[in-house]
Amino acid sequence: MSLLLFIEQVLNGLQFGVMLFLMAAGLTLIFGVMGLINLAHGSLYMIGAFAAAAVSAATGSFLLGLAASLAAAAAAGALIEVVVIRRLYDKDHLDQVLATFALILIFSEGTRWVFGSFPLYLDVPSYLAGSVTLPGGIEYPLYRLAIIAIGLLVAAGLFALIAWTRIGIQIRAGESDREMIAVLGVNISALYTIVFALGAALAGFAGALIGAIQSVQVGMGEPVLILAFVVIVIGGIGSIKGALVGAILVGLTDTLGRTLLPVAFDTFMTASAANAVGSALASMSIYILMAVLLVFKPTGLFGSA
Amino acid sequence: MQRETLINIIVLALLVLFPLWAWQADEPFMITLATRAVILALAGVGLNLALGLGGMVSFGHAVFFGVGGYAMGILASHAQSYEPIFEWPFLFEGSKFMPLIWLVAILSSGLAALAIGALSLRTSGVYFIMITLAFGQMFFYFTISWPAYGGEDGLSVYVRNGFPGLNTLDPIQFYGICLAILAIVLFAMSRLARSSFGLALSAARQNEERVQAVGIGVFRLRLMAFTISGAITGLAGALFADLNRFVSPVMFSWQTSGEIMIFVILGGVGRLYGPVIGAVLFIVLEHELGGLSEYWHIYLGALLLGVVLFARGGLIGVLAGREVAHD
């Protein structure tokens, strides 16, 4: 394998990782602050993608589509928080898993009902289409590069929000002692709604950005959701830093595994066997990574016990 | 407790009488539906041991369901092609003999549960849910990308496997086999829940430290329960594959894990007949609502949400009131 191809795959892995971070950040915030496992996070991702596709098809503007994805996912998130999720905070994990699994069923079928079973398409805007030549002569799609940049920007913004703003202080306080900050006069239920809507907006935004690369369809959220869970489990549930490290790790492992493993097995196997073994192992690689990590460090990289 | 026993008897009677009626009325499709319900109930009974009695929220029971299914698929496909599965260290040929297939399904899924449990039970809480989910995905992607047994397309078996003295292709006879297995497993479960093993397992769910303090190894206890639980779900997988004469990676998907969990919750967690009632209800809903609207999953989701938020004990909890006795 040439170095150029390798660098290109590293960039692809980064792009994938950054997207996973947008999903995982919301999940891990929601878990850290409210102690809730939200399986319906993938549905919010899907809602963001559908909103972006519908609005940008109607207005012709990609940016309006992105704005719509943020708004729609945040609104859907706030709505389910107030109607359903709020009742789940003091229930056990089993109830949370089931109730949010039920929400997936409702959202998926609801979306199918409104938009039909055929996928929608979201076009990359003309100013981000085409590819750029990076130093070293690598041709790389501009849009994917933009995703990496936007993702890192959002990550930086999120860290700043948590570290320096009033709401960030409340979020961190909520993570360490829920009763205490309620006693100190913080409106805890409003805070919960805001955190949930924030996480939802990040998921919807990720859905819209990815929607321009893949097709926008019902069920697009669940594979990403499971990967995002892997990310936060690897990073340590509740830790934003862990989510970032985990996301990049998972993105790189998955992308590089798919290209490198078949090549690696090729050196001592027949080509077809190497391809079969390599691709089978590659598709399992991140789950193997997670299982191995959990066996040695049962609370993830940055998790507290 | 008496009311729950009464409900259990009614359910069992229905499971015997309904297919007999369908047989008399010449409605083979209804018998197939009932067979599906009984097999899925068996899968749920397996999960209920880990989830209800042991308090282990496994989001990966599709693994065992799928391993059982593929055990049947691989044995039967080798019997079709007359190629041995392996010749070393001993000759192992394919088979269409149901009891052997069940044995292989139980052993292989039990072994998978032992390995997965040994790793996963080192964690707890959310991490346990997630690591079992990850193992499920691992098997799912492995079967998709492993070409030897059909890969993504799955594996078809042309003729249903045989059971001595019975014609398994006759729906009512195959139903009889499945119901008999379910009844035997339910009986074993009721004995197990009252045995010292079952009581200790239940105690460990309620207070781990105390059980540890009286000198019972909680890890080993849970691992054993998880293994038995996986083996039962694996047996259900083999029967399910035989019912459809088809296995595919979908059996390993996380939705399958979610559905098995739904049976347990709809019926009532930790109740002996909870998964049976849950699976029957699921099949009835699927049939009735599916006929009513293409989007029946919306109603299923709403119902599930209602059960979680307002009816904690599932259907049995609603009908029989708060139970006293399963712990």
Side-chain angles (χ1 to χ4, degrees), chain A residues 166-244:
Chain A
R166 187 159 191 85
I167 187 99
I169 293 171
Q170 291 178 351
I171 288 175
R172 278 181 291 141
E175 279 179 348
S176 50
D177 196 333
R178 254 176 269 182
E179 281 81 22
M180 187 52 100
I181 73 156
V183 170
L184 288 175
V186 173
N187 183 347
I188 196 96
S189 67
L191 177 70
Y192 285 0
T193 311
I194 290 171
V195 170
F196 200 88
L198 175 69
L202 288 175
F205 190 60
L209 287 176
I210 289 297
I213 304 180
Q214 298 164 355
S215 58
V216 175
Q217 57 190 344
V218 173
M220 67 187 286
E222 278 67 53
V224 188
L225 168 84
I226 293 177
L227 289 179
F229 270 123
V230 172
V231 164
I232 65 170
V233 167
I234 286 178
I237 300 179
S239 158
I240 301 263
K241 188 168 72 176
L244 184 61

Side-chain angles (χ1 to χ4, degrees), chain A residues 48-273:
Chain A
F50 270 93
V55 169
S56 70
T59 62
S61 160
F62 184 72
L63 285 179
L64 276 181
L66 279 186
S69 75
L70 282 168
L79 181 73
I80 59 172
E81 201 277 339
V82 171
V83 176
V84 177
I85 304 285
R86 192 168 275 193
R87 298 165 210 275
L88 297 172
Y89 293 143
D90 49 0
K91 302 220 170 186
D92 60 25
H93 292 320
L94 175 63
D95 285 346
Q96 298 175 347
V97 164
L98 279 155
T100 50
F101 186 80
L103 285 176
I104 295 183
L105 295 179
I106 295 172
F107 273 123
S108 294
E109 291 302 308
T111 312
R112 206 192 305 276
W113 191 37
V114 174
F115 288 96
S117 294
F118 293 103
L120 300 183
Y121 292 96
L122 179 62
D123 290 325
V124 174
S126 55
Y127 47 88
L128 287 176
S131 57
V132 282
T133 313
L134 297 177
I138 305 164
E139 290 276 317
Y140 198 72
L142 180 60
Y143 184 72
R144 284 176 184 265
L145 219 53
I147 288 185
I148 298 179
I150 294 171
L152 290 177
L153 223 61
V154 172
L158 198 61
F159 277 110
L161 177 88
I162 302 243
W164 292 325
T165 64
R166 187 159 191 85
I167 187 99
I169 293 171
Q170 291 178 351
I171 288 175
R172 278 181 291 141
E175 279 179 348
S176 50
D177 196 333
R178 254 176 269 182
E179 281 81 22
M180 187 52 100
I181 73 156
V183 170
L184 288 175
V186 173
N187 183 347
I188 196 96
S189 67
L191 177 70
Y192 285 0
T193 311
I194 290 171
V195 170
F196 200 88
L198 175 69
L202 288 175
F205 190 60
L209 287 176
I210 289 297
I213 304 180
Q214 298 164 355
S215 58
V216 175
Q217 57 190 344
V218 173
M220 67 187 286
E222 278 67 53
V224 188
L225 168 84
I226 293 177
L227 289 179
F229 270 123
V230 172
V231 164
I232 65 170
V233 167
I234 286 178
I237 300 179
S239 158
I240 301 263
K241 188 168 72 176
L244 184 61
V245 174
I248 303 290
L249 205 60
V250 166
L252 287 177
T253 308
D254 189 60
T255 313
L256 292 181
R258 276 173 212 285
T259 40
L260 293 183
L261 280 176
V263 179
F265 283 108
D266 206 26
T267 53
F268 57 91
M269 279 181 175
T270 60
S272 66

Side-chain angles (χ1 to χ4, degrees), chain B residues 225-293:
Chain B
F226 195 77
T227 306
I228 300 172
S229 161
I232 295 172
T233 304
L235 178 59
L239 290 172
F240 193 72
D242 234 334
L243 173 68
N244 299 325
R245 275 166 274 167
F246 176 65
V247 285
S248 77
V250 176
M251 286 183 85
F252 284 107
S253 72
W254 71 284
Q255 283 91 342
T256 305
S257 293
E259 278 180 9
I260 301 177
M261 223 183 217
I262 289 181
F263 308 146
V264 178
I265 308 299
L266 274 185
V269 181
R271 314 278 190 143
L272 182 60
Y273 276 69
V276 181
I277 294 183
V280 168
L281 186 65
F282 185 86
I283 296 294
V284 169
L285 285 175
E286 186 180 55
H287 185 65
E288 292 299 318
L289 294 177
L292 211 65
S293 155

